[in-house]
Amino acid sequence: MCLAIPARVTALCGDNQARIELGGVQKEVSIALLDQVAVGDYVIVHVGFAIGKLDEAEALRTLALINEMGAPDTAMDLSA
Amino acid sequence: MSRREFTQAIDFRHGRVDMTHGGGGRAMAHLIEALFVKHFDNALLREQNDGAAFALPPGTGRMVMATDSHVVSPLFFPGGDIGCLSVHGTVNDVAMAGGQPLYLAAAFIIEEGFPLADLERIVVSMARAAREAGVPIVTGDTKVVEQGKGDGVFITTTGIGVAAPGIELSGDRARPGDAILLSGSLGDHGVAIMSARENLALDSDLVSDTAALHRLTAAMLECAPGLRCLRDPTRGGLASVLNEFADQSECGMHLREEAIPVKPQVAAACEILGLDPLYVANEGKLVAICPPEDAERLLACMRAHPQGRDAAIIGEVTADPNHFVQMSTRFGGVRMVDWLTGEQLPRIC
Amino acid sequence: MKYIDEFRDGDLARGLAATIAREVDPARRYRLMEFCGGHTHAISRYGLNDLLPAAIELIHGPGCPVCVLPIGRIDSAIELANRPGLILCSYGDTLRVPASGRLSLIKARAQGADVRMVYSCAEALTIAQQEPEREVVFFAIGFETTTPPTAVVIKQAAALGLKNFSVFSNHVLTPAAMAHIMESAASVSLDGFIGPAHVSTIIGSRPYEAFAERYRRPVVIAGFEPLDVMQSILLLVRQINRGQARVENEFTRAVTPDGNVKAQACVDEVFELRDRFAWRGLGEVAHSALAIRDAYAAYDAERRFDIPMRVVADARACECGAILRGEKHPAQCKAFGTGCTPEHPIGACMVSSEGACAAHYTYGRFRQPAAAPATESKS
Ligand code: SF4
């Protein structure tokens, strides 16, 4: 459900609209549901609206965790 | 050719098609001469008969005939328009049957009120495409329908071509172990068209891949005469062609996702719209199936050709009583690549 | 594509798969429900089952707003679309959903109704502005993610003073449906939930806490990329092994405890809770959907056109209810693949590609569900 994609804000167009970019494709979306959007922010776009912002630090943390949890010798979890 | 008297020049800048342009009278004759004959110009068409009569080239094996109706919205899109599309589409249909196209026929259904400037632009584009392909448009037909009964213009083209003796291409000839080749990146046409539709309003530098493929197929047939199946993945995309082959040949297919070329803009637009590039239309790509021992040679031959520069071996034919097309995903799993259900519509969930 | 490609890395996936395989207790089964169609889609499209040990069973939940749209509501939408002069706008997803009498919006369009597919509800508003002499109705569907845009558009219509625009609201709520599943399936052993991604972007992770506590089941909110799903499965396995039932958030890059407060306020201003709403496949679920508030009654198509709340029974052969509750596998339905296919869906689960039956049909039916469902992953 809820097809939504992370995209970078490339320009603010006024009237609660912004241009976003993903993989070389640009589109104008509404940012009426967000406070303080800046160029360079990554937002989640759903049905032509930005519905949330992406937190870069958290994304990196999640990836680091995935790396760590998938590493061969980190079975420090002995509860199984 | 008899000289008629056309007292007033047709206003191709501001004029519009009206019912007289299809009425069979002087206005129609004028339009044909000032537009179609002028741009498509060739000896057979200049004869202005209802049909074209021609001799076959020596050494002809079998004849190939194909026809295709073109309805596209919008009529003009990045990388092309309905005009060149209608030439490429039919040239490719003849080519996929192993034929080298000789001549085309073109039939226009034009809606009353259609701007003559747009019609001329389309005809010029068709003429250029036909010239570049070396396949003249030798006969045609024009009908005008009342406003509201057409969508601007529909073009049906019919092509005739010849296949060298011994060439046998058919969707039922794939055998387990055969290699599946794709001539280039998927989905360029479909995404370019969809982006051009005003309500989706996607901007990118992507253009339609519309192109004539008969020179590529000629090179391929020369390099690998044992080629078994050829088809261009237009509507329904790669997935549909492979399912057709699998059904016709009573076998399965196994693809490797990472081998399938997709441009980043196409991938991105598909993410945005919820589409799968495997199902998106192409107008300048082909899928080929050949015996495994020919695969590398054929690939090199395709890559040496401008229309096949990004060609890739994307999988192989398998023995499968269910005729399933499967794919190893980039992620390490396996999934089915089923027939398209309905049409590809942008989705939100 | 940043924030997408990194989360589709096959090597990292194999690492996680190995850890999952190591940590599962082979003597038991882990029955995990992914509530969202988005997760169902990721699982099918990337073939995640092949990476998971046999002990893990994924059950597709009802989290696809198209699948759960009751027949009666589509019947009403078709009736609306058939009104002379009316333009019905909707997302592409709803067009093929089967209604009564073998109809659908796409078939209604073929019969002359003016049904327009929009990518955004904002387009429906634009159409209303462009065609002031015609009634324009937006047929709104979707979960918490899709509701805020609809709310924005209704507020805009009010600000513009549009007289010819209204919304037929079918927005539904996720936590209510999750609770309903646990209530009606007390006998069924669901061990944990993969929680919604973008719904949670809006509502935050907090609303699941009461659920986890009440039903003593762990919930891990996960993004829609395949690595997100793999990681959340591992987190669930760990909680289950320890006998925990906490809410964990794997999708911290987009989900905070409180969610998008601005969007929530916007929804709250325009919408109010319905006492009950019929979900296709699940039946009536209390407090599970939203209606337009009195203050915006002028933009409520239900009032403007007097649309009754009609209940049409689901097809009898259909096992969707049992499938959505995790009691049955799609292949156990007699109609699966014969009477019921994506071209001719009988039940909710076959309607959208994210429905349990459609996902199995389209992506997974080469797997024989009778045999062991997944191959042992290498470790
Ligand atoms: S296969 Fe069709 S009829 Fe059977 S449960 Fe699924 S949706 Fe319902």
Side-chain angles (χ1 to χ4, degrees), chain C residues 28 32 97 117 142 171-172 275 281 291 294 312:
Chain C
R28 61 161 297 166
L32 312 178
V97 182
M117 187 191 76
H171 287 302
V172 286
D275 286 342
D294 289 345
V312 179

Side-chain angles (χ1 to χ4, degrees), chain C residues 318-320 323 333 335-336 340 346-347 349-350 357:
Chain C
C318 178
E319 302 269 17
C320 276
I323 289 170
C333 170
F336 178 83
C340 184
I346 290 178
C349 303
M350 193 59 100
C357 296

